[in-house]
Amino acid sequence: MWKEDNASITYFYNSNDISAGAFAEPSHWQTTNASACEEEGERPCSIVVPDGQTLNDVLSGKTNSQVLSMSPNRKP
């Protein structure tokens, strides 16, 4: 996992998987966005990983609803 110095990184959910725990699976997130973000939907769109943390740190142990609450927008 790469990390930029002194910068947060935005990751985008690029999977159609909505099963339990799927939103906390790091392999479902990428730094490029494959589809548009919207106001509503059942999948998260993006999350920001603060400097000093990894995607695994942010997602570890989270439920789908917890990950959704971290995402400011959604994917249908």
Side-chain angles (χ1 to χ4, degrees):
M1 177 98 17
W2 63 277
K3 182 171 92 70
E4 296 176 9
D5 292 329
N6 301 319
S8 60
I9 301 171
T10 300
Y11 286 89
F12 298 93
Y13 191 74
N14 287 323
S15 173
N16 291 321
D17 192 350
I18 59 169
S19 63
F23 300 165
E25 176 56 51
S27 66
H28 292 171
W29 295 85
Q30 299 172 357
T31 55
T32 55
N33 193 11
S35 62
C37 297
E38 300 179 6
E39 294 293 317
E40 296 183 19
E42 54 189 12
R43 297 177 296 147
C45 183
S46 64
I47 58 172
V48 175
V49 175
D51 182 42
Q53 292 188 16
T54 66
L55 182 61
N56 285 339
D57 292 338
V58 171
L59 296 175
S60 181
K62 300 276 190 310
T63 65
N64 281 1
S65 61
Q66 287 172 317
V67 176
L68 271 176
S69 71
M70 297 165 53
S71 178
N73 38 31
R74 303 281 183 266
K75 290 188 174 184

